[in-house]
Amino acid sequence: MARKTTTDDPLTPVTLAVGQEELLLERAVREVIAAARAADADTDVRDLTPDVLQPGTLAELTSPSLFAERKVVVVRNAQDLSADTVKDVKAYLGSPAEEITLVLVHAGGAKGKGLLDAARKAGAREVSCPKMTKPADRLSFVRGEFRAAGRSATPEACQALIDALGSDLRELASACSQLAADVHGPIDDAVVARYYTGRAEASSFTVADRAVEGRTAEALEALRWSLSTGVAPVLITSALAQAVRAIGKLASAPRGARPGDLARDLGMPPWKIDRVRQQMRGWSADGVSAALRAVAEADGAVKGGGADPGYALEKAVVAVAGAARPATRRN
């Protein structure tokens, strides 16, 4: 769960969202925007990426307004800002404007650490959004989601939910929200089993995500689990095809386009644009073509053209995971 330091007031002049867990970063941004709009429904929100925030841009956005309008300026991937723009941001941190809230979204780490240190020294409100790689972290996250919804769930239910859906926080958060809304009695492992064990959409997309990320062993493990819980093979080939096509679409999109524009043009939600952008690192046009051919072959096999759908799917998963350059493979 995201952790806050310095102050809990989302309308403090500067908020620093630090980490690589996309869901938590997005929540930190949404919290500030919601608070600003609760104070002023006409709040102007500017969501900027490093290619848009050029030297001088921040000064223009934060210059005094005749109407004293409230504004939220969100800077994504602040660790990638140019040196000149970093100078602008550091100067602003020393004297932030009234009625303006600056949100710096930073991955943490060594890159751009100077800006990170400057924001902390200036007293920025910090929201820590670390990547949840440990099982205990994900278990704590699920428990926190139920608490935030005013509900409690047994430890067995929380673990069963993770076992059923995997490590994707968005899916876990959505499941917690659904259970909290739909279930009026105790939330235990029997309830989770009734709702989610073997859920085709979740498990098939987990297979696809791990495959396009080059994580062969994890993709095969997810595949075997999916098949053992009764997921139809055709749903898995469909998820694989969608994941590979998404990479191909985003790779061919105009460089420098804003996430919102890409989401509209490619027919994907904004959060998926960010996920696919991370997954596509190391992919090439030839890799996309080879992966699509492998998925098409598997699709034909599971629809009656082959004797062993499970084997056909394993071949496809290995082919998709191997389509990325070797340097990006994580087994």
Side-chain angles (χ1 to χ4, degrees):
M1 187 178 301
R3 299 186 298 278
K4 303 171 187 176
T5 62
T6 304
T7 176
D8 283 336
D9 182 8
L11 292 184
T12 196
V14 181
T15 285
L16 187 60
V18 185
Q20 298 180 34
E21 193 61 70
E22 293 179 16
L23 174 64
L24 301 184
L25 291 169
E26 191 56 41
R27 283 183 173 180
V29 172
R30 288 204 309 264
E31 181 186 25
V32 173
I33 294 173
R37 285 180 169 159
D40 182 353
D42 295 326
T43 294
D44 181 21
V45 177
R46 302 297 180 92
D47 201 324
L48 309 171
T49 51
D51 59 309
V52 175
L53 192 63
Q54 298 297 317
T57 303
L58 184 63
E60 293 176 9
L61 292 174
T62 57
S63 60
S65 167
L66 292 175
F67 304 101
E69 62 178 352
R70 182 175 291 278
K71 185 180 295 184
V72 175
V73 178
V74 181
V75 179
R76 305 277 181 176
N77 300 315
Q79 71 279 357
D80 295 330
L81 292 173
S82 68
D84 288 339
T85 302
V86 168
K87 290 179 182 178
D88 287 352
V89 177
K90 287 181 177 179
Y92 177 80
L93 292 173
S95 181
E98 292 185 10
E99 302 299 319
I100 293 178
T101 300
L102 175 66
V103 183
L104 298 174
V105 181
H106 196 294
K111 187 176 183 181
K113 189 174 183 298
L115 178 58
L116 203 58
D117 292 341
R120 287 168 173 161
K121 186 175 181 180
R125 166 181 176 261
E126 183 169 342
V127 183
S128 180
C129 308
K131 198 73 175 175
M132 294 191 179
T133 57
K134 298 179 180 178
D137 292 338
R138 292 191 286 273
L139 190 59
S140 178
F141 172 79
V142 170
R143 288 172 176 166
E145 290 296 292
F146 282 122
R147 282 197 299 270
R151 302 296 304 278
S152 63
T154 66
E156 294 80 10
C158 295
Q159 186 60 58
L161 197 59
I162 294 170
D163 292 342
L165 299 186
S167 60
D168 188 289
L169 292 198
R170 292 184 187 277
E171 291 183 353
L172 290 171
S174 177
C176 291
S177 178
Q178 181 179 13
L179 289 172
D182 292 356
V183 179
H184 300 293
I187 300 175
D188 55 21
D189 53 343
V191 169
V192 173
R194 187 167 70 247
Y195 270 74
Y196 293 103
T197 297
R199 198 186 79 169
E201 298 90 341
S203 54
S204 60
F205 288 133
T206 298
V207 175
D209 283 340
R210 299 297 84 80
V212 298
E213 290 163 4
R215 294 154 68 173
T216 310
E218 293 179 38
L220 288 173
E221 181 182 1
L223 171 64
R224 288 159 191 156
W225 183 90
S226 298
L227 294 175
S228 71
T229 55
V231 176
V234 68
L235 293 177
I236 298 174
T237 56
S238 175
L240 285 168
Q242 289 182 47
V244 177
R245 288 195 191 104
I247 288 173
K249 286 181 179 179
L250 191 57
S252 61
R255 292 184 179 274
R258 298 181 180 181
D261 295 335
L262 286 173
R264 183 186 63 252
D265 295 342
L266 302 181
M268 301 180 194
W271 64 263
K272 189 170 184 180
I273 294 291
D274 293 334
R275 176 190 288 181
V276 175
R277 183 172 281 141
Q278 291 184 344
Q279 292 175 334
M280 67 185 284
R281 293 169 184 166
W283 279 83
S284 65
D286 289 342
V288 170
S289 297
L292 287 176
R293 287 195 299 271
V295 174
E297 290 176 7
D299 191 56
V302 302
K303 290 178 179 177
D308 188 344
Y311 176 66
L313 285 170
E314 286 190 4
K315 284 181 60 180
V317 165
V318 171
V320 171
R325 294 179 191 139
T328 67
R329 295 175 190 164
R330 299 179 297 277
N331 292 308

